[in-house]
Amino acid sequence: MGANFNLKTLTVALAALSAASIASAAGLDRSGQDITAFLQDGTYAETVYTYLDADVSGHDNAYVGPDKNAYQQGKKIDDIAESYDFFRYGVKADINDTFSVGILYDEPFGAAADYSGNNNFVDQNPLSPRNGEGTNVEVRTENITGILGAKLGENKNFQIYGGPVAQRVKANVKLRGTAYEVANGYTTNINADQDYGWIAGVAYSKPEIALQAALTYRSEIEHNANAFESYPLAPRVGGSIPPVAGGPFVFPSTRDGDIEITTPKSVNFDFQTGINPTMLATAKVRWVPWSDFAIVPSLYNEVSTANPAYRPDGLSLVSYDKDQWLVELGLAKRLTPALAVTGNIGWDSGAGNPVSSLGPIDGYYSAGLGAKYNFTENWAISAGGKYLWFGDAEGQIPSKTVVSNFEDNDGFALGMKLSYQAK
């Protein structure tokens, strides 16, 4: 066989760019749910900080007529994407040469958008108590994953792993402006809820050529949270329904009740292999079935059934038409025994177009650079940056009416990682 690509000599190059390796603009995906910290040799720990800043601007729809898909450029919509940051932590240890344990923390799903200015997504009614308020959405989630792994085979090349996942989710959505028709003024606050799922995977490694491959499945997680809804125009909508036995029906303007939210399952494939003793090739593929995901607050859904076209199921507040695919390819090069650099390119399919006006991006292309420096035998610091070219997208409201258009947008991600490894 040819040159031995000892994994230890390439460890300095591993995941140098992952400090800024966020997943995507598809759906609510954010962290990419990376588990590579658990796949490291020996005792390993990392702290990762990621910051994302995007410019997502466009125009509202000036078209007036029956065609839901028609678009005519309207008023300017300034940048709606709020910058956000999040942390990721991981720790892993070997019990013996067969069993390993680990704990991972990340913030897998989220959204942060805020409309302002003079457009159809801001309440412009001087008589409204919400005059000047813009459409706003904030979604945050937190995951804690426990993993137990067992290495199998004569040379311990195979590993199976799995464990429980605890997830916390909360959200706040405000719909403002004439773009949302009768839902102008609608607000829902979804209180924090914690529930549980699981993770399972299999990995294969061949240290002599620095090869490692891992396939990881995460289950969906069902939440039953408390949600308070305010729908100022709901009574007027109810009063417009033709009378039924006992008199006309009137929807309430507020409701305090439960909401079921199921965060999606996912599959990640992580791969690396040595090209020569100082260079590593990496690949990542991620799939998330966002077409199965929906946020359906009960009052919002119930009021939508006043329109016979949306009966019997009513409308979701947020939903997506397609599943997400993410592909990232990279190279890592060890320049010195302590310093390595990386570069990667990526593609994200998005979750359909038109897409929700609360996140009007149709996937992205990306390019990134990073570096990792071992300042002691065990401690290292990594830094990375990634530029993202967002796909053009039309924004739609839940009735599938196009209400906006967003073009030529971009963003960047920056990350830093502090890691410790002892073999």
Side-chain angles (χ1 to χ4, degrees):
M1 181 171 186
N4 188 312
F5 301 163
N6 190 301
L7 181 60
K8 185 174 181 180
T9 66
L10 284 173
T11 297
V12 68
L14 296 177
L17 189 61
S18 68
S21 187
I22 63 161
S24 96
L28 303 176
D29 215 17
R30 288 296 176 263
S31 74
Q33 297 183 293
D34 185 270
I35 61 98
T36 54
F38 179 75
L39 302 177
Q40 303 301 313
D41 285 343
T43 299
Y44 180 82
E46 68 177 23
T47 298
V48 184
Y49 171 78
T50 301
Y51 172 84
L52 178 67
D53 193 0
D55 182 358
V56 181
S57 57
H59 294 84
D60 65 19
N61 192 354
Y63 170 80
V64 178
D67 187 351
K68 288 187 174 184
N69 297 314
Y71 176 78
Q72 179 181 335
Q73 183 172 304
K75 289 169 286 189
K76 183 77 165 64
I77 299 173
D78 293 327
D79 182 16
I80 69 167
E82 294 188 300
S83 61
Y84 68 91
D85 57 3
F86 57 88
F87 284 90
R88 187 174 82 237
Y89 307 101
V91 61
K92 174 260 180 183
D94 293 331
I95 298 174
N96 51 40
D97 63 354
T98 298
F99 293 101
S100 303
V101 293
I103 298 177
L104 308 176
Y105 168 88
D106 74 331
E107 301 180 27
F109 309 119
D114 188 21
Y115 285 81
S116 61
N118 179 21
N119 56 68
N120 293 344
F121 296 88
V122 178
D123 193 327
Q124 308 290 348
N125 185 353
L127 301 179
S128 169
R130 294 167 297 279
N131 180 36
E133 287 187 9
T135 296
N136 180 275
V137 58
E138 183 174 0
V139 179
R140 298 298 294 255
T141 61
E142 298 175 280
N143 270 20
I144 296 179
T145 303
I147 307 180
L148 173 65
K151 293 181 178 179
L152 309 173
E154 182 178 354
N155 298 315
K156 306 294 185 180
N157 295 112
F158 291 93
Q159 184 179 37
I160 57 173
Y161 52 90
V165 178
Q167 184 178 86
R168 185 175 183 266
V169 60
K170 64 178 179 178
N172 177 270
V173 178
K174 297 178 181 179
L175 305 183
R176 301 291 186 266
T178 57
Y180 294 102
E181 302 170 345
V182 296
N184 179 12
Y186 175 83
T187 300
T188 183
N189 291 292
I190 300 174
N191 292 330
D193 177 77
Q194 180 171 303
D195 224 303
Y196 303 91
W198 52 274
I199 184 175
V202 59
Y204 173 79
S205 64
K206 193 172 183 179
E208 58 266 30
I209 59 171
L211 186 149
Q212 188 176 80
L215 186 66
T216 306
Y217 174 86
R218 285 181 178 268
S219 73
E220 62 183 23
I221 299 179
E222 298 181 0
H223 294 268
N224 192 336
N226 172 262
F228 178 80
E229 298 176 79
S230 174
Y231 202 142
L233 297 181
R236 188 181 305 176
V237 174
S240 68
I241 297 177
V244 295
F249 182 80
V250 177
F251 294 114
S253 61
T254 62
R255 177 172 293 170
D256 191 353
D258 292 336
I259 182 172
E260 293 184 359
I261 298 176
T262 301
T263 55
K265 59 190 174 185
S266 65
V267 177
N268 280 18
F269 176 69
D270 295 282
F271 177 84
Q272 68 172 51
T273 187
I275 299 175
N276 59 49
T278 63
M279 184 172 288
L280 195 72
T282 63
K284 177 176 182 176
V285 179
R286 175 169 168 80
W287 172 76
V288 186
W290 285 107
S291 60
D292 296 336
F293 175 82
I295 298 177
V296 191
S298 63
L299 179 57
Y300 183 91
N301 175 262
E302 192 175 292
V303 172
S304 71
T305 62
N307 186 331
Y310 308 134
R311 299 173 187 166
D313 297 329
L315 297 176
S316 304
L317 179 61
V318 177
S319 63
Y320 301 96
D321 294 331
K322 295 183 179 180
D323 297 344
Q324 169 200 4
W325 285 93
L326 168 73
V327 179
E328 288 187 346
L329 304 175
L331 290 173
K333 171 69 174 177
R334 180 168 60 88
L335 301 180
T336 72
L339 177 66
V341 294
T342 66
N344 77 2
I345 56 174
W347 168 78
D348 186 284
S349 68
N353 186 32
V355 71
S356 170
S357 60
L358 302 179
I361 293 172
D362 185 22
Y364 65 73
Y365 290 94
S366 69
L369 295 172
K372 182 177 181 181
Y373 179 71
N374 275 62
F375 54 90
T376 73
E377 181 181 356
N378 304 117
W379 289 92
I381 188 168
S382 306
K386 182 181 292 187
Y387 187 82
L388 305 105
W389 294 267
F390 296 129
D392 298 343
E394 291 182 318
Q396 66 181 8
I397 58 177
S399 65
K400 305 299 184 182
T401 300
V402 171
V403 292
S404 59
N405 188 53
F406 290 78
E407 296 180 337
D408 301 324
N409 291 311
D410 56 11
F412 66 88
L414 301 174
M416 294 190 66
K417 175 194 290 185
L418 179 66
S419 59
Y420 171 87
Q421 187 168 29
K423 301 180 182 180

